[in-house]
Amino acid sequence: MASHRKLISSSHILICRTDNIGDVVLTLPMAQRLHELNPGARISLLCRSYVADVAKLSSCIDEVVVLEDIEQDPVAFFKNSDIDTVIFAQPNRMLVHAAFRAGIRNRIGNARQKLYLMLFCNRWVRFSKRLTDHHEAQINFEFLKPFGDDAIPTLEEVSHYQHFDLPTPDQGMSSLLCGEHFNLIFHPRSNGHGREWPVEHFEQLARLLATDHRIRIWLTGSAAEGEWLRANAASLLAQPNVTDVCGRFSLEQLAVFINESDALIASGTGPLHLSGALGKHTIGLFPPTRPMHPGRWAALGEHSVNLCSNHACAECATNTSRTCNCMKEISPEQTAQIVLQWSQEKANESAAHTQPTAQNAALLH
């Protein structure tokens, strides 16, 4: 923790982030900055198996290590690697202890987070996620201080650190999406990772958007989430402008589908952050209560809009249900106005591209 300690210079850095999709997506900008601080170094990411497909799409990650593949003997994994620096961006007692036992030279952890990080790491940063006003993506840059980088980038700067290499969509996906339409994704569920907008609001939004025949709505989610929607949101699925594709895509295919679409609407969940990172039109729906508020979890990207009620409801901080009055106060009408504007902008751009020039118009006559 002493300021006079020699700055880290590394040839292979492993970032440990063993939580959820959105958390991993918001860690990737920090990985890109690590490349700048350590030219020529390998940057690897250790994550859970269900997140790995998204991590592999990032151009700033050289290798993805799957937690389930190494958790039987993590000490052996570290000993047999050439990793010289580990960043514990998400605390994991097993991995911290394994890196210590394997003798990894630099082990970076947040000394204010867990006692075992203080005991088994040898490079410490100090910050409180609970007290900070920084966004989750900015918070991750705290781990770069042992490399001599004390700067926390602005949210606009963070967005420029997002880079993905996505495969070409297959024929089946291409046949689904029509370029002439405004393809809008509803991702109503959050797998328990965010306060959700009521499905009734999604239904009302679909009805409002039916006034624009160019807008096609796609419902995404896991197979289990699709079953829940079919059981609890039949009216939403029955709307003529809505198509259910829940459970149809792998995580990699969902990323491609989001990239090929025009916009996405969701609460604070992984696909929301992926959509923002891909530069898509994105609407994030949030309660104003810490730690779920948009100040911490807003979708990033120049085309992202994040909606939040002005005041927290009385039971919001202790409410364990999927939704609350805070989320209900975000109106479908407010959301529809944004989407209709985006749809019109796409239509105007398409018309401008297809309109013949004066010279070509003269030749036509």
Side-chain angles (χ1 to χ4, degrees):
M1 286 179 283
S3 59
H4 63 271
R5 293 195 66 178
K6 182 179 179 181
L7 298 178
I8 291 175
S9 177
S10 183
S11 61
H12 189 177
I13 303 166
L14 177 71
I15 303 167
C16 293
R17 190 84 208 210
T18 54
D19 38 4
N20 303 304
I21 297 170
D23 306 281
V24 168
V25 170
L26 296 176
T27 303
L28 297 176
M30 180 257 282
Q32 178 61 36
R33 179 64 180 145
L34 277 170
H35 277 294
E36 297 177 0
L37 296 171
N38 300 269
R42 289 177 56 77
I43 310 296
S44 298
L45 178 75
L46 194 158
C47 62
R48 295 160 65 190
S49 60
Y50 95 102
V51 184
D53 280 352
V54 164
K56 291 175 182 177
L57 297 175
S58 172
S59 59
C60 60
I61 298 297
D62 298 304
E63 180 184 3
V64 174
V65 180
V66 175
L67 175 65
E68 290 83 349
D69 290 344
I70 62 103
E71 61 184 349
Q72 291 300 317
D73 194 349
V75 176
F77 161 72
F78 281 118
K79 283 185 175 180
N80 295 327
S81 74
D82 62 350
I83 296 166
D84 53 38
T85 300
V86 183
I87 299 174
F88 294 103
Q90 173 68 15
N92 184 302
R93 182 190 297 269
M94 176 190 70
L95 295 174
V96 172
H97 192 236
F100 171 78
R101 290 181 58 196
I104 300 300
R105 187 170 75 232
N106 303 303
R107 304 178 302 279
I108 303 173
N110 182 2
R112 292 191 62 176
Q113 209 163 14
K114 299 287 183 182
L115 178 59
Y116 62 81
L117 290 168
M118 172 72 79
L119 294 175
F120 296 110
C121 290
N122 61 353
R123 295 285 187 150
W124 299 277
V125 294
R126 290 179 174 271
F127 60 89
S128 170
K129 286 190 173 186
R130 184 173 60 87
L131 299 176
T132 184
D133 290 325
H134 284 138
H135 189 278
E136 179 72 14
Q138 294 173 303
I139 290 172
N140 290 315
F141 281 78
E142 294 277 358
F143 289 103
L144 303 186
K145 289 182 178 179
F147 296 91
D149 188 3
D150 293 332
I152 302 297
T154 66
L155 292 181
E156 182 180 0
E157 290 169 337
V158 168
S159 298
H160 294 311
Y161 281 116
Q162 299 274 31
H163 303 288
F164 294 89
D165 294 322
L166 274 70
T168 302
D170 59 32
Q171 186 173 359
M173 187 180 296
S174 297
S175 65
L176 278 178
L177 297 172
C178 176
E180 296 179 359
H181 289 92
F182 187 87
N183 293 288
L184 170 65
I185 295 173
F186 284 1
H187 195 87
R189 306 291 279 169
S190 68
N191 197 26
H193 298 145
R195 193 62 57 80
E196 296 174 357
W197 210 38
V199 292
E200 295 81 8
H201 281 31
F202 278 105
E203 178 191 345
Q204 180 61 20
L205 177 57
R207 293 180 185 273
L208 293 170
L209 296 178
T211 59
D212 186 337
H213 68 277
R214 296 168 300 211
I215 299 176
R216 298 179 65 183
I217 298 169
W218 306 89
L219 287 183
T220 60
S222 67
E225 289 170 335
E227 291 179 9
W228 188 94
L229 289 169
R230 287 186 282 275
N232 296 276
S235 296
L236 171 60
L237 275 68
Q239 298 305 308
N241 56 345
V242 173
T243 301
D244 175 15
V245 291
C246 290
R248 180 163 178 169
F249 304 128
S250 67
L251 189 54
E252 179 185 273
Q253 290 170 330
L254 177 61
V256 175
F257 190 73
I258 292 172
N259 194 51
E260 293 298 311
S261 299
D262 295 291
L264 179 143
I265 301 175
S267 59
T269 187
L272 175 84
H273 296 295
L274 184 56
S275 177
L278 291 170
K280 310 306 294 184
H281 288 294
T282 305
I283 298 178
L285 308 165
F286 294 91
T289 307
R290 287 175 177 264
M292 301 171 286
H293 66 306
R296 173 78 178 276
W297 294 106
L300 303 181
E302 61 178 323
H303 300 301
S304 293
V305 175
N306 296 280
L307 303 179
C308 179
S309 58
N310 293 325
H311 304 287
C313 56
E315 72 280 7
C316 187
T318 57
N319 192 347
T320 58
S321 64
R322 287 184 176 271
T323 190
C324 68
N325 287 331
C326 296
M327 298 299 285
K328 293 174 184 176
E329 288 181 5
I330 304 172
S331 72
E333 290 78 11
Q334 179 185 13
T335 311
Q337 185 177 6
I338 297 169
V339 175
L340 290 170
Q341 179 180 338
W342 287 343
S343 176
Q344 185 60 54
E345 289 172 356
K346 179 178 179 179
N348 293 342
E349 291 174 3
S350 297
H353 290 150
T354 57
Q355 184 176 359
T357 63
Q359 181 178 0
N360 289 338
L363 293 175
L364 290 175
H365 294 286

